[in-house]
Amino acid sequence: MVQKIKILALILCLPLMLSAQVTFKFSANSINPGPLKTKMENNITQLLNVINNAGNSDSFLDLASIDMEPEAKNRLQALWEDAAFVCVDDVNVKRCLEDYQGYQVRNIPVKVKPKDDTYTESLDRELTISLNKAGTITGVRLAWETQEDVESMLKSSSSVTDVRQRREILKWVEDFRSYYNEKNLKSLNQIFSEDALIITGSVVTQKKRTGDNGVQYEEQVKYKVQNKEQYLSNLSRVFKNNAKINVGFDHISVMRHGAKPNIYGVTLHQTWKSGTYHDEGWLFLLWDFNDPDHPQIHVRTWQPEQIAAQDGLFTLDDFFIP
């Protein structure tokens, strides 16, 4: 009888075990006390509990009750389809960081629960959450894995505004891989300026005859200069023709323009995998913060590993900025 009572008690407690167990608070002196602070703490706490309950029970991620922008909900749902995750800590106390468009919370530890073997990254990750100035959640993303790169990038900042702009760049970079996984043309369209210069490339293996009637294979790089419309149109076809696309970044570096403090050059090492195609190379992005509400990319270039090693990487000095 005692054993039955214990089992019944466990069954009755199960819904409670799956209910709100995670709490979030801002660390002392990182944001002024008041309604906005309370709202953001409650909003993040509620989100983390929804994530935990869905992740622990392998159920649908129900974001209906979360104060979160619709696009952010869609993007988190897409991320969830690829790999669910759960919070590691029951109590999370993190700094409130200001970026260019609102606030960020970083370094919330999570454990990833991949849906299949296409996920090849670490299972121990950190979550980044961004909010606008009203306290509404605007994005949830798995953070950059190489924290040494992040620390180096932020330490080289020269002012409070510079730090906020660099955090905005980092936020976008952490999103960028997801844009390809999600095949999210809408977000890519918003981030590139209308007059963007885009240089893409691909590595092609070609067969050559040798003097002894043998065959030799060699890799050649084909470049294509495109405007925004051409790039997105071609990318749309790539999305349709590939069931899965995986883009990875590492080795980020950021340079601020000396005479134009709202212009940045961002260099990233990129790994691209889609279907039977794979390449590695270096991206350069020319980033413009002159419109603080709509930062945009004016230049995006790609260089394969071997060309970058021979000729050097693109930098801000390679482009005329009026």
Side-chain angles (χ1 to χ4, degrees), residues 26 31-43 133-135:
F26 289 120
I31 182 173
N32 292 329
L36 178 60
K37 173 180 179 290
T38 302
K39 176 183 178 180
M40 291 196 291
E41 287 177 333
N42 291 341
N43 205 10
K133 294 175 182 178

Side-chain angles (χ1 to χ4, degrees), residues 133-246:
K133 294 175 182 178
T136 298
I137 294 172
T138 58
V140 179
R141 58 194 64 81
L142 292 174
W144 187 274
E145 284 203 83
T146 312
Q147 288 303 305
E148 292 84 356
D149 287 348
V150 174
E151 291 171 6
S152 175
M153 184 188 89
L154 294 177
K155 282 181 180 177
S156 59
S157 59
S158 59
S159 67
V160 173
T161 300
D162 188 19
V163 170
R164 292 175 183 174
Q165 290 171 335
R166 286 170 185 260
R167 286 201 189 108
E168 185 74 18
I169 289 169
L170 181 60
K171 182 172 71 177
W172 178 83
V173 167
E174 290 171 334
D175 274 341
F176 191 71
R177 191 192 98 150
S178 298
Y179 291 165
Y180 286 92
N181 286 349
E182 300 160 14
K183 303 180 180 179
N184 190 340
L185 287 171
K186 177 182 176 181
S187 293
L188 290 167
N189 179 61
Q190 291 173 344
I191 207 68
F192 285 107
S193 68
E194 291 304 317
D195 59 353
L197 168 67
I198 299 171
I199 301 174
T200 59
S202 59
V203 180
V204 180
T205 302
Q206 294 195 333
K207 183 168 65 175
K208 288 183 64 176
R209 294 283 182 184
T210 61
D212 57 357
N213 290 325
V215 176
Q216 180 178 334
Y217 294 90
E218 63 178 30
E219 290 185 342
Q220 294 187 349
V221 180
K222 289 189 175 182
Y223 287 108
K224 183 182 292 185
V225 179
Q226 302 173 74
N227 59 30
K228 175 179 173 178
E229 182 179 358
Q230 292 167 330
Y231 174 66
L232 294 180
S233 176
N234 290 329
L235 194 58
S236 176
R237 285 193 287 273
V238 172
F239 286 170
K240 289 177 182 177
N241 294 332
N242 290 273
K244 187 83 172 179
I245 293 174
N246 193 348

Side-chain angles (χ1 to χ4, degrees), residues 21-23 48 52 86-92 94 107-109:
Q21 296 293 317
V22 180
T23 60
L48 295 181
N52 252 28
V86 294
C87 296
V88 173
D89 298 332
D90 291 340
V91 179
N92 293 269
K94 303 297 177 185
N107 309 120
I108 298 174

Side-chain angles (χ1 to χ4, degrees), residues 242-293:
N242 290 273
K244 187 83 172 179
I245 293 174
N246 193 348
V247 174
F249 290 148
D250 53 37
H251 301 305
I252 184 173
S253 63
V254 177
M255 178 183 295
R256 193 182 195 187
H257 195 283
K260 297 179 174 62
N262 289 326
I263 300 295
Y264 288 79
V266 181
T267 304
L268 300 160
H269 181 259
Q270 174 185 276
T271 303
W272 173 289
K273 296 179 183 178
S274 61
T276 58
Y277 181 77
H278 169 260
D279 67 34
E280 294 191 23
W282 290 88
L283 286 182
F284 171 79
L285 307 170
L286 194 156
W287 195 283
D288 181 352
F289 279 92
N290 279 302
D291 181 350
D293 293 325

